[in-house]
Amino acid sequence: MRKDSFLKFKKLLKNTQKIAIVTHWSPDGDAMGSSLALYLFLLKLGKKATVIVPNAYPDFLHWLPGHKQVINFQENEQKAGKAISSADLIFTLDFNSYKRLEKLGGLIDKAKAPKVLIDHHQQPDDYATYYFHDIQACSTCELLFDFIVGVGEKKLIDKKIASCLYTGLMTDTGSFRYSNVNAKTHLIIAELLKTGIIPSDIHGAIYDNYSLDRLKLLGYALNEKLKILNFYPAAYISLTEKELEKFNYQKGDTEGLVNYPFSIKGIKVCALFNETDNYVKISFRSKGKIDMNKFARLHFNGGGHINAAGGRSNDTLANTEKKFEELIKTLF
Ligand code: 5GP
Ligand code: MN
């Protein structure tokens, strides 16, 4: 764990006015929850803050307070570039390598402002001036809660900030059921609930918001595309670009799909392969000590956590599946 002093940071924050916040490619609930919570918090401190995302994020996150002010780098490179080059401090949230920003990474690398990393993924790169990094944290939103409390501003956590933080804690823990959940997770949730947020509303906004196409894609994937390996307790689903198109695929439609095979007795490793127009996007999940971060880094140009990692392959979908099946023995 690398953690810089909150007090030292408090002073630095006092002397900064323009702040940029960036998060990873294909932002998820924790990425957007933490970025927007920080954004709203900084506004309350009287700062000028901007959230910049490398690309779009799913519709079911568009209700988050502050969403309308987010700059999508792919849609508005100029505006994003300006916000970054004029910032005197840059927060990088929920990732730890510029590789996770794709093209936006080059801009952040060039920017002169000091970087603050707040993240819970394994093996951070050495680019930041300040680190709030803890792989034990269930989510970046947990670290952001600690950060706000650490700089002595817990009183500023209002309903809007709390709903952003709740979103990240909920989505990164699979609604409080993965092995990254502990007493602290629930203590933070208890604090957030005191602001008046309604958990069932947030859950509903994220998980009861499927399109019919998305539900049918889930049914199709489970019925037609689930493969269980012969000699290892592992299963995967792979979807071609054509199949995704058939179900009118929208960003976020396969989120959570990778986990379904875990409901089969004994399954310890799951994978999901999604074919896109220029690469195969991969998700890995495991139970217990099976290290998917290492596996994704070694073989699939990716990384993440022990039990949840991602990567990509520039090979064909069929070859990617074959490679996975051949390498599975290294996990058991
Ligand atoms: P997901 O499978 O939900 O996309 O991602 C699982 C975890 O792995 C997340 O914490 C995510 O940030 C991380 N992850 C996903 N894709 C990549 C990747 O290509 N590279 C790295 N380093 N991490 C990834
Ligand atoms: Mn996260």
Side-chain angles (χ1 to χ4, degrees):
M1 177 181 14
R2 292 170 70 175
K3 265 194 179 164
D4 283 299
S5 137
F6 288 125
L7 284 178
K8 187 171 87 180
F9 199 77
K10 200 176 166 158
K11 267 190 214 147
L12 177 87
L13 211 50
K14 217 176 194 165
N15 299 320
T16 18
Q17 270 319 308
K18 280 190 182 168
I19 299 172
I21 302 163
V22 292
T23 190
H24 60 77
W25 178 260
S26 284
D28 57 10
D30 192 31
M32 290 323 297
S34 57
S35 296
L36 289 169
L38 178 60
Y39 166 76
L40 297 167
F41 170 69
L42 292 172
L43 292 190
K44 283 188 111 169
L45 286 182
K47 310 292 176 192
K48 186 173 173 354
T50 315
V51 177
I52 300 126
V53 293
N55 64 336
Y57 50 94
D59 284 355
F60 58 75
L61 295 173
H62 288 187
W63 63 272
L64 284 167
H67 155 69
K68 287 209 170 90
Q69 279 69 50
V70 174
I71 301 175
N72 177 346
F73 175 71
Q74 274 189 337
E75 285 169 2
N76 206 335
E77 282 198 21
Q78 222 177 356
K79 200 167 165 198
K82 224 171 158 187
I84 290 161
S85 61
S86 67
D88 32 39
L89 191 63
I90 299 175
F91 280 88
T92 71
L93 302 189
D94 201 38
F95 69 94
N96 58 29
S97 160
Y98 289 153
K99 272 202 316 204
R100 297 281 287 135
L101 295 175
E102 301 288 329
K103 201 177 156 198
L104 175 61
L107 271 194
I108 301 294
D109 192 23
K110 264 196 277 164
K112 300 243 161 31
K115 319 287 180 341
V116 188
L117 174 149
I118 305 184
D119 180 51
H120 66 135
H121 292 89
Q122 302 266 335
Q123 298 168 271
D125 281 356
D126 196 11
Y127 65 78
T129 315
Y130 302 93
Y131 285 83
F132 299 98
H133 180 256
D134 187 354
I135 58 166
Q136 304 297 337
C138 74
S139 57
T140 298
C141 279
E142 172 180 332
L143 293 173
L144 207 74
F145 178 86
D146 286 350
F147 176 81
I148 295 174
V149 174
V151 296
E153 301 290 357
K154 188 175 159 203
K155 58 190 177 298
L156 293 187
I157 300 181
D158 58 12
K159 208 169 159 181
K160 283 184 180 170
I161 294 176
S163 50
C164 294
L165 294 176
Y166 189 92
T167 295
L169 280 145
M170 180 183 77
T171 54
D172 260 27
T173 58
S175 300
F176 314 109
R177 66 201 166 96
Y178 296 154
S179 59
N180 56 0
V181 174
N182 56 30
K184 190 181 168 200
T185 323
H186 288 286
L187 286 170
I188 295 174
I189 293 300
E191 288 297 320
L192 298 179
L193 294 196
K194 287 181 193 165
T195 65
I197 56 165
I198 301 173
S200 56
D201 285 356
I202 297 178
H203 195 278
I206 290 181
Y207 295 115
D208 301 335
N209 226 339
Y210 281 30
S211 63
L212 181 58
D213 279 330
R214 177 175 173 179
L215 197 64
K216 287 188 170 173
L217 173 62
L218 167 66
Y220 171 76
L222 297 179
N223 206 25
E224 313 271 340
K225 302 301 308 261
L226 175 62
K227 180 160 184 200
I228 298 176
L229 299 198
N230 283 329
F231 304 108
Y232 298 95
Y236 70 85
I237 292 167
S238 76
L239 294 165
T240 65
E241 204 181 358
K242 249 201 171 133
E243 288 168 325
L244 291 166
E245 272 168 16
K246 189 176 154 206
F247 291 93
N248 187 28
Y249 173 80
Q250 304 294 312
K251 205 163 239 323
D253 277 358
T254 57
E255 213 142 291
L257 178 58
V258 60
N259 293 293
Y260 278 86
F262 277 137
S263 54
I264 304 165
K265 193 173 176 180
I267 293 292
K268 295 276 193 293
V269 169
C270 300
L272 172 70
F273 303 95
N274 274 355
E275 187 184 49
T276 74
D277 48 4
N278 42 20
Y279 61 93
V280 179
K281 157 79 185 120
I282 311 167
S283 289
F284 295 118
R285 299 292 186 269
S286 68
K287 296 267 189 200
K289 294 203 167 72
I290 301 171
D291 190 343
M292 301 319 290
N293 166 56
K294 194 171 142 199
F295 187 75
R297 274 177 194 264
L298 267 177
H299 308 297
F300 292 97
N301 194 28
H305 312 283
I306 307 261
N307 294 136
R312 60 172 59 193
S313 155
N314 293 317
D315 208 339
T316 62
L317 188 60
N319 285 345
T320 307
E321 288 171 38
K322 199 165 151 237
K323 181 174 169 185
F324 173 70
E325 290 203 26
E326 281 166 7
L327 287 166
I328 197 83
K329 57 178 177 290
T330 64
L331 289 171
F332 292 97

